[in-house]
Amino acid sequence: MSIETLRICGIIILLAPFCGAVIAGGLGPIMLRGRSHWPAILGVAGAFAAAVVVFTQLYGHGTEELSAQIPVYQWIIDGAGSAFKVEFLIDPLTSVMLLTVTGVSLLVVIYSRDYMREHGKPERGYERFFAFLALFVFAMCALVLGGNFLLLYLGWEAVGLCSYLLIGFYYSRPAAAAAAKKAFLVNRVGDFGFGLGILLIYLSFGTLEYAAVFDMVQSGVLASGDPLTNGRVTTIALLLLCGACGKSAQLPLHVWLPDAMEGPSPVSALIHAATMVTAGVFMVARCGAIFTASSTAMAAVAAIGATTALFAATIALVQTDMKRILAYSTISQLGYMFLGVGVYAADSAIFHLFTHAFFKALLFLGAGSVMHAMGGIIDVRQFGGLRKLLPWTFVTFVVGSLALAGFPMLSGFFSKDEIIHHALVAHPLLGIIGLVTALLTAFYTFRMVFLAFFGDERVPEGVHPHESGGWMLFPLCVLSVGAIFAGYLGVEATGRGFHHFLTPVFETTFVAMNPAHAGSHEVAHPGFWEHYGLMILSGGLAIIGILVAYIIYVKRPWLSGLAKASAPDAYQTLWNKYYVDEFYDEALVEPARKTGRFCVGLDDYLIDGLIWLVTAVPRGIALVLRTMHNGAMQSYALSMTAGITIIVLLVFWS
Amino acid sequence: MAQILDMPLFNLADSWALTLVIFAPLVGMVLLWLPPPGDDKGIRRSALFASLVTLALTVLVVFQFYSFEPAVRQSRAYAFTCHVPWIAGTAGDSATIDIAYRLGVDGISIWLLALTAFLMPLAIWGSFSGIRTRVREYYSLMLLLEVGLLGVFCALDVLLFYVFFEFTLVPLFFLIGIWGGSERRRAANKFFIYTLAGSVLTFAGVVYLAYYSFTVLGTATLSIERLIQAAQAGHIAPAVQWWLFLAFAAGFAIKVPLFPVHTWLPLAHTEAPTAGSVILAGVLLKLGTYGFCRLSIPMLPNASFELAPVVAVLAVIGIIYAALAAWVQKDVKKLVAYSSVSHLGFCMLGLFSLKVIGVTGGVVYMINHGLSTGALFLIVGCIYERYHTRNIHEIGGLARQMPWMAFFLIFFTLSSVGLPGLNGFVGEFLVLLGTATSKATSDLRAAGPLGYGYVIPAATGIILSAVYMLWMCQRVLFGPLKEPANTPDTSTGLTKDLTRREISILVPIALACVFIGVYPKPMLDTFKVAIERNVLRDVLPAERVTAETSGLSIPADATQDTQSGEGSPAEPDDGVPAQPADPPRDSAVLASLTDLDTTGGPKHER
């Protein structure tokens, strides 16, 4: 592999989508209009091609040095002698992320060409949409490629910005505008911790460059030469985790993602399912050196992941908006990834990230196709039995659902199973939560499928459903293939190529620090049950979940009403998402606004009042003096007489 | 040395360059009286022309500064210095009073000079449609204001600084009082009295400083450079420093404005005409921070160090307090005004970290705030001219009506909330980094006064700034369209969306924001030397600083007085220790000051 090639590829990966964004945004309104998708498609395709080149450069190099820190130019000079550079870090992890991001992006951009049209005419803001989408690809690649924490932060904020702009794409809808703002602000809360973590890293290590920081963490010394305490590294890791929770919508910062579904469906597919929200997982994996140095932090990652996975899956059970169900399922699957990283199985987590990108993007695009056909309606209570009307969408959607549900031999099955396996090894409770969530996942996914595609054919008033065109079906088909076969990149039968490719990245961190490896718990020659027992169990759970959903929603539809009626409180709690939003409003937003009003009052009355008092002193003196100078001779004479009397008295007194 | 002195940088023409820049707008005022009365168009164009000429001159100065910057780095504190005795007295052959018209710029002030000259034509151009009455007077006052602002950033004499500093009040008082909103007279009065009250104390400090320098140095000097040297040599007693710091802070803190003396700002901003707000936020507030950075910190190092935590606490309170207050404002302009208070808190925090990183951040912050907040006020002005309201509840969904305006409002909002890649982030990051690392000794300086503890509350300001700015954007730009009756008002020749003129005003600012965000290196490069040499020279003693900035390789012993100077009170009669007596370093400094202090530098016997 040559550094020069990698540098050029990195620059292309960044600049191609960026130029696409600028051209689409700049020329779009003037001359491109309905063709504004071309700059975006070409830009993203260029980035994808460069990502493939990066991959071929890295692939097949065995265990030799596989990571390259590549400087580009000096960005911010801190004035004290050092500088923050724009630089890349390219290693297998980067490469996998780049392929996933640019690949899915390309498909989504192609899909959007038709999706963002009504009756063949581009929607209002067509060029804006593609400009933002390409800008997002640029930002996400910057996040992934960046070779130091400052660039990570840049990408981190920039993807947040694109997410903000795209959620608020239909800005005249108040809900969309509010959701956009909410997404940005909740992420800012996470970034608050993230930023503090980065500052603490600089404070501790005197640099923000990945390689240097990780080296110092692993050798356990600070820049000042003092030993790195466990408390400090834990603090750093937890602060970083705070940012990851914001971006990846983990508890307690998950509230923005379901609302983010106000954005157009391709945006939900790309940003809020396949790529941006996985940035948190990527970051924890990237900073493995820091996280694995603190067992507390790792436990926190695993705990947050497991809790979120279960928590979001329960909410998804009762929702009726297809995109929101998928949003909660995304949160839940991201929880799996966190769980994976937290139990030292970073390669499995990234594997799940990879397969998830396929099937979740597929599901969102499928939901988008449904929404397109239903004239913008996506609530499963308002339509049903669509399988005849939208055959292609139906088939691909079912493929995606099977993969999500963990149906045996599809991609989601393999990757999820790996995570559950590692979780069981780490702590039985984590593994059991993983299994329960798998069951719930299969159930709610197929509840959605059965409600939308099975039963009697029902469509909303005045809607003439039609299957989508080729621009939309092509990405669906490609993603379906991925959803079925992507998992085979990481199974024993194919030599676990995916994991081997990633191993060099995690060798010294997640692999070496794994407490499960430290004791020789590994069974030398696992028997059939050790090997396949879990697979059969989790596959079985998936099938059970699907069957239960089938019985409740297809065979015996009255059962669902019964369930709702038998536990109304539980149903209401789930329906209202555990009242987290309401809690935040009451506990944080309102008090802050009250404090703000209090501050304004303080300004207007206390501070200005004090100042009025100060200025009142000269005014008061003047007032007294003014009454004396009233020009009446009598009063002058009176005061003169009084004065003389006093003086005379005083003289006599003494 | 001779070589350096022979460079064209130091010829006579250059020593007048700054004077030319400062007074160019004054000359331009004459132009305004050429068009016949009633020819508003001619007057407006003359004013714009005058400010553009000033800008051109400034650009020349900046370029020349930049091309000679390495030379400046080598040996000199300031470029384009000029020195004309003003209030001078002699006894025998030694000067007893040394107050002079001293000008000069360094790596910090050059950028603030540029910012002023850059914003002024845009502000003037931006007033074309808004100002309909007393046009000639209006533009005359704008140009007069520019004179004062440019003067402050060039002054190297405390009295001259003070004169320019106070002078800016007068034109702005009239600008607010005559062309302002409905409560303009109250706002103008409050603004004037509030800031004047503070600067009266500053003036007392200036007078006392002159007197005190007479008692310890034998010369009543107000030369900033000589006072810094005196402070470095430990001639300014700590107790005196404390009083002087408080006196200076009285004027500067009100100008910044630092919590709790910020209450004049929201009112003044709300009532000022658009251009007034732009200049007020963009440049005038920086006079306060610049004063701290140019006078208080270098001349009063001990007091600055000891009082830094107090200032920092006030700054942090201000960051959060003003952000919360901004969030509940109904008036868009007031919201931006409160955001200024919050932002300037960051700036102060950076300056009082007393480390190069933090001060760099503080100075960058000054410039960034000038750009983005100035632009925000321009945009609010554009909205106001069309809808005659700034009430957030009366307008909404304007993105559909005014896509260009929406673009710029979001752009400058992002710049203001510190999105990486735009200018705001560079300042914010460096400020927080500087504050966090203030205590560290890794850059060979002694431990600074602040630490990580200040960063945590300050960083909440980052969340809050996003909260109120995005809240404002959401209300103004998004949602269903909401307009007051009979609007948008296009009777004055405005279009529904921004006119070409308005776009042309905002584009340069946006470009500057992007440039600073993506490639701030050229600017940051010049700060380092200026900050080490002219701001932090003796705040936190370190060998490295003296050695590097004085340019010549200096034997280690030459730095002794830097350390011995720490906190020791002045020794009155023992001949001003270590002044000209200490040969290598001082001769270097002296040589570099020859045209700054033609009276012969700090050679003075009583």
Side-chain angles (χ1 to χ4, degrees):
Chain A
M1 91 188 170
S2 102
I3 296 289
E4 218 26 63
T5 321
L6 288 181
R7 179 183 296 150
I8 291 167
C9 284
I11 293 172
I12 291 175
I13 289 173
L14 292 184
L15 282 190
F18 186 76
C19 294
V22 170
I23 295 171
L27 297 183
I30 309 167
M31 48 189 291
L32 290 171
R33 296 188 190 278
R35 287 165 294 163
S36 303
H37 53 279
W38 280 114
I41 292 179
L42 292 176
V44 176
F48 179 65
V52 172
V53 174
V54 169
F55 175 73
T56 53
Q57 289 280 314
L58 291 180
Y59 190 71
H61 281 261
T63 51
E64 72 182 83
E65 188 59 49
L66 264 179
S67 83
Q69 188 101 21
I70 308 166
V72 182
Y73 79 98
Q74 292 196 330
W75 181 24
I76 298 180
I77 318 289
D78 72 355
S82 59
F84 303 102
K85 292 194 278 275
V86 170
E87 59 192 333
F88 303 145
L89 172 66
I90 294 184
D91 65 1
L93 179 61
T94 318
S95 173
V96 167
M97 286 299 290
L98 283 178
L99 278 180
T100 317
V101 170
T102 54
V104 177
S105 304
L106 183 58
L107 293 172
V108 168
V109 178
I110 292 172
Y111 175 94
S112 307
R113 189 262 177 207
D114 261 13
Y115 185 83
M116 296 308 289
R117 281 162 194 263
E118 270 171 280
H119 308 295
K121 283 222 184 79
E123 263 183 55
R124 186 191 170 85
Y126 189 72
E127 58 284 328
R128 187 160 51 97
F129 179 84
F130 282 97
F132 290 163
L133 215 54
L135 190 67
F136 167 76
V137 179
F138 158 77
M140 188 72 202
C141 291
L143 190 161
V144 172
L145 270 172
N148 58 43
F149 282 97
L150 201 59
L151 276 184
L152 177 70
Y153 190 79
L154 175 129
W156 200 262
E157 290 283 302
V159 291
L161 164 69
C162 297
S163 161
Y164 167 76
L165 294 172
L166 284 165
I167 296 171
F169 181 75
Y170 299 117
Y171 56 77
S172 39
R173 286 214 310 254
K181 187 190 70 181
K182 185 173 174 186
F184 197 90
L185 294 184
V186 174
N187 268 298
R188 270 268 157 150
V189 174
D191 296 348
F192 164 73
F194 191 52
L196 288 179
I198 291 177
L199 286 177
L200 194 55
I201 288 174
Y202 186 82
L203 193 59
S204 309
F205 306 110
T207 176
L208 289 178
E209 215 166 278
Y210 283 142
V213 170
F214 298 155
D215 278 351
M216 280 199 243
V217 173
Q218 285 179 331
S219 52
V221 283
L222 299 176
S224 57
D226 299 331
L228 174 63
T229 58
N230 190 43
R232 181 174 286 239
V233 77
T234 306
T235 313
I236 293 177
L238 290 179
L239 286 171
L240 293 180
L241 179 61
C242 184
C245 285
K247 190 100 325 185
S248 291
Q250 297 296 292
L251 283 175
L253 299 178
H254 65 286
V255 287
W256 65 272
L257 188 59
D259 287 13
M261 297 302 129
E262 291 293 339
S265 300
V267 171
S268 313
L270 178 61
I271 301 185
H272 306 119
T275 54
M276 184 187 85
V277 289
T278 62
V281 184
F282 164 76
M283 191 267 285
V284 178
R286 168 63 79 218
C287 302
I290 295 174
F291 279 88
T292 52
S294 158
S295 51
T296 320
M298 288 301 274
V301 174
I304 286 179
T307 321
T308 310
L310 184 62
F311 174 85
T314 54
I315 297 178
L317 293 177
V318 300
Q319 301 299 315
T320 55
D321 178 319
M322 274 174 89
K323 282 179 72 180
R324 293 206 183 220
I325 297 172
L326 289 173
Y328 280 106
S329 115
T330 306
I331 298 176
S332 174
Q333 297 301 309
L334 289 165
Y336 270 117
M337 295 176 212
F338 270 73
L339 174 62
V341 177
V343 297
Y344 296 85
D347 49 350
S348 307
I350 298 294
F351 186 39
H352 194 55
L353 187 161
F354 178 70
T355 57
H356 176 257
F358 285 100
F359 59 75
K360 192 49 72 62
L362 171 61
L363 285 170
F364 267 111
L365 293 185
S369 184
V370 171
M371 199 170 166
H372 201 62
M374 294 293 121
I377 291 168
I378 195 66
D379 194 319
V380 284
R381 286 172 301 189
Q382 300 199 36
F383 52 77
L386 302 181
R387 66 181 184 281
K388 293 262 170 50
L389 291 170
L390 309 170
W392 283 93
T393 307
F394 167 63
V395 170
T396 51
F397 198 85
V398 167
V399 169
S401 301
L402 287 172
L404 170 61
F407 192 79
M409 300 303 138
L410 269 73
S411 61
F413 169 72
F414 296 115
S415 52
K416 196 189 289 180
D417 184 62
E418 266 183 38
I419 290 175
I420 295 174
H421 166 75
H422 287 286
L424 273 174
V425 173
H427 196 288
L429 183 63
L430 296 176
I432 290 165
I433 291 178
L435 285 170
V436 172
T437 308
L439 177 68
L440 295 178
T441 308
F443 175 77
Y444 70 68
T445 310
F446 274 84
R447 167 177 172 269
M448 170 175 69
V449 171
F450 292 133
L451 284 176
F453 291 99
F454 286 76
D456 301 329
E457 200 173 292
R458 281 185 303 129
V459 293
E461 284 287 310
V463 169
H464 304 288
H466 53 90
E467 181 58 293
S468 309
W471 286 88
M472 282 166 76
L473 292 181
F474 168 71
L476 289 178
C477 295
V478 175
L479 287 170
S480 303
V481 174
I484 296 170
F485 296 108
Y488 291 96
L489 292 175
V491 296
E492 302 280 345
T494 58
R496 292 168 60 85
F498 191 91
H499 298 73
H500 282 300
F501 183 56
L502 280 177
T503 306
V505 184
F506 301 130
E507 222 162 21
T508 57
T509 56
F510 290 100
V511 178
M513 305 295 279
N514 191 348
H517 285 253
S520 52
H521 287 301
E522 292 278 307
V523 184
H525 294 288
F528 178 80
W529 286 109
E530 279 84 3
H531 216 131
Y532 297 109
L534 185 65
M535 275 194 174
I536 291 166
L537 178 60
S538 69
L541 282 176
I543 293 169
I544 292 172
I546 294 170
L547 281 178
V548 172
Y550 180 73
I551 291 166
I552 293 183
Y553 292 99
V554 181
K555 285 286 153 199
R556 304 274 185 278
W558 48 268
L559 270 174
S560 68
L562 187 70
K564 197 197 279 188
S566 64
D569 287 346
Y571 177 81
Q572 279 303 321
T573 310
L574 291 181
W575 176 250
N576 289 301
K577 309 141 198 165
Y578 294 97
Y579 301 101
V580 177
D581 279 332
E582 287 77 2
F583 171 74
Y584 285 164
D585 255 0
E586 287 294 315
L588 298 172
V589 179
E590 274 313 308
R593 279 192 72 87
K594 282 207 185 93
T595 319
R597 275 185 219 111
F598 177 72
C599 289
V600 175
L602 220 57
D603 265 15
D604 288 351
Y605 297 103
L606 183 68
I607 297 178
D608 277 2
L610 283 176
I611 285 160
W612 185 85
L613 271 184
V614 172
T615 55
V617 172
R619 230 180 298 151
I621 294 171
L623 203 67
V624 173
L625 293 180
R626 202 161 57 203
T627 54
M628 290 179 163
H629 294 248
N630 55 3
M633 289 306 285
Q634 294 92 326
S635 66
Y636 291 168
L638 180 68
S639 43
M640 207 167 84
T641 323
I644 290 172
T645 317
I646 291 169
I647 293 168
V648 168
L649 280 176
L650 280 176
V651 169
F652 274 103
W653 201 264
S654 57
Chain B
M1 182 53 72
Q3 258 182 336
I4 294 166
L5 288 177
D6 282 344
M7 288 181 117
L9 179 63
F10 308 122
N11 64 29
L12 186 71
D14 281 319
S15 77
W16 289 100
L18 292 178
T19 310
L20 194 66
V21 169
I22 295 173
F23 293 103
L26 207 58
V27 178
M29 270 176 69
V30 177
L31 285 177
L32 296 189
W33 300 89
L34 293 181
D39 179 13
D40 290 354
K41 209 171 176 182
I43 295 170
R44 290 199 293 250
R45 286 192 178 162
S46 312
L48 182 60
F49 177 74
S51 61
L52 282 175
V53 169
T54 313
L55 174 61
L57 289 171
T58 313
V59 168
L60 281 179
V61 167
V62 171
F63 270 106
Q64 210 177 352
F65 175 84
Y66 212 71
S67 56
F68 285 106
E69 209 260 328
V72 177
R73 184 182 310 198
Q74 282 301 311
S75 67
R76 296 175 52 87
Y78 308 96
F80 306 109
T81 50
C82 107
H83 173 278
V84 178
W86 178 16
I87 305 173
T90 48
D93 48 351
S94 64
T96 49
I97 305 179
D98 171 29
I99 297 170
Y101 175 79
R102 288 188 177 85
L103 298 180
V105 286
D106 64 0
I108 300 170
S109 46
I110 190 89
W111 295 106
L112 290 163
L113 196 69
L115 175 74
T116 313
F118 175 71
L119 282 180
M120 191 52 89
L122 301 176
I124 287 179
W125 204 10
S127 321
F128 274 22
S129 56
I131 300 301
R132 298 275 155 193
T133 52
R134 303 200 197 183
V135 176
R136 202 191 308 259
E137 289 84 348
Y138 176 85
Y139 291 107
S140 304
L141 286 170
M142 286 294 280
L143 291 173
L144 209 56
L145 179 59
E146 185 172 17
V147 173
L149 295 169
L150 294 171
V152 174
F153 294 130
C154 295
L156 287 184
D157 188 280
V158 181
L159 192 65
L160 189 65
F161 178 97
Y162 181 77
V163 167
F164 280 125
F165 186 84
E166 284 302 277
F167 181 71
T168 56
L169 280 186
V170 181
L172 202 62
F173 170 74
F174 288 112
L175 284 171
I176 297 176
I178 299 175
W179 291 274
S182 51
E183 279 192 87
R184 55 181 178 268
R185 299 186 58 177
R186 193 163 77 87
N189 276 329
K190 193 171 176 185
F191 161 71
F192 193 83
I193 293 172
Y194 218 120
T195 45
L196 190 70
S199 41
V200 163
L201 292 176
T202 307
F203 186 65
V206 172
V207 172
Y208 182 72
L209 185 64
Y211 166 75
Y212 188 77
S213 71
F214 181 77
T215 60
V216 293
L217 297 175
T219 311
T221 185
L222 284 177
S223 154
I224 291 177
E225 178 59 29
R226 284 179 68 180
L227 287 168
I228 295 178
Q229 283 178 351
Q232 189 178 13
H235 290 174
I236 304 181
V240 175
Q241 288 195 18
W242 266 70
W243 285 112
L244 282 174
F245 187 92
L246 293 178
F248 282 174
F252 298 155
I254 286 177
K255 204 73 135 199
V256 168
L258 198 61
F259 176 87
V261 286
H262 61 277
T263 50
W264 63 273
L265 184 76
L267 185 65
H269 263 315
T270 329
E271 298 305 321
T274 299
S277 295
V278 172
I279 297 302
L280 184 58
V283 189
L284 205 85
L285 303 186
K286 277 68 192 189
L287 299 190
T289 46
Y290 181 73
F292 276 112
C293 159
R294 176 64 79 214
L295 303 182
S296 301
I297 296 176
M299 293 192 326
L300 314 167
N302 303 54
S304 299
F305 187 86
E306 285 155 22
L307 286 169
V310 179
V311 176
V313 166
L314 289 178
V316 168
I317 294 176
I319 290 173
I320 299 170
Y321 181 95
L324 288 172
W327 191 14
V328 294
Q329 294 305 319
K330 290 187 205 75
D331 185 322
V332 187
K333 217 169 172 186
K334 222 169 185 172
L335 187 150
V336 182
Y338 268 108
S339 88
S340 281
V341 180
S342 182
H343 284 297
L344 268 294
F346 273 102
C347 188
M348 289 298 285
L349 193 63
L351 291 180
F352 278 85
S353 72
L354 300 181
K355 279 298 182 70
V356 180
I357 304 177
V359 177
T360 308
V363 178
V364 181
Y365 214 108
M366 288 188 212
I367 293 173
N368 290 340
H369 177 262
L371 293 174
S372 50
T373 309
L376 284 172
F377 275 120
L378 281 170
I379 295 170
V380 174
C382 293
I383 298 177
Y384 184 72
E385 280 179 37
R386 285 170 177 77
Y387 293 100
H388 303 302
T389 179
R390 293 183 303 256
N391 190 330
I392 255 174
H393 297 295
E394 289 175 22
I395 45 180
L398 297 188
R400 193 168 272 266
Q401 283 276 24
M402 311 174 70
W404 275 104
M405 187 276 287
F407 170 79
F408 282 113
L409 184 53
I410 291 180
F411 181 92
F412 289 111
T413 292
L414 294 172
S415 152
S416 168
V417 304
L419 188 87
L422 292 179
N423 58 345
F425 174 70
V426 181
E428 204 171 83
F429 173 70
L430 287 175
V431 163
L432 292 177
L433 192 66
T435 310
T437 56
S438 177
K439 277 226 162 55
T441 48
S442 54
D443 59 348
L444 298 180
R445 282 177 169 272
L450 308 182
Y452 198 72
Y454 291 87
V455 172
I456 298 170
T460 56
I462 295 177
I463 304 179
L464 291 173
S465 73
V467 169
Y468 61 75
M469 288 309 287
L470 292 186
W471 179 77
M472 189 261 279
C473 280
Q474 186 196 346
R475 299 302 288 264
V476 172
L477 297 180
F478 305 141
L481 182 66
K482 191 155 74 178
E483 296 174 322
N486 301 324
T487 56
D489 176 9
T490 51
S491 61
T492 50
L494 295 167
T495 47
K496 234 180 0 177
D497 199 355
L498 300 188
T499 60
R500 207 166 284 179
R501 173 180 61 88
E502 287 162 333
I503 293 174
S504 324
I505 294 171
L506 292 170
V507 163
I509 310 182
L511 289 179
C513 288
V514 172
F515 186 78
I516 296 177
V518 176
Y519 193 58
K521 187 169 182 287
M523 198 161 105
L524 298 181
D525 273 343
T526 66
F527 289 158
K528 180 181 156 64
V529 182
I531 289 169
E532 288 185 338
R533 170 74 176 67
N534 297 337
V535 181
L536 296 179
R537 194 185 327 175
D538 46 331
V539 178
L540 302 164
E543 289 88 335
R544 204 167 65 90
V545 181
T546 355
E548 248 188 41
T549 47
S550 55
L552 307 172
S553 56
I554 291 163
D557 60 316
T559 56
Q560 272 171 1
D561 67 337
T562 325
Q563 278 133 11
S564 69
E566 200 180 328
S568 69
E571 298 144 80
D573 254 338
D574 278 12
V576 198
Q579 265 287 331
D582 208 296
R585 207 274 311 279
D586 275 281
S587 65
V589 175
L590 274 185
S592 74
L593 288 172
T594 38
D595 58 26
L596 184 66
D597 289 301
T598 44
T599 48
K603 279 182 202 138
H604 31 65
E605 307 275 319
R606 271 211 262 165

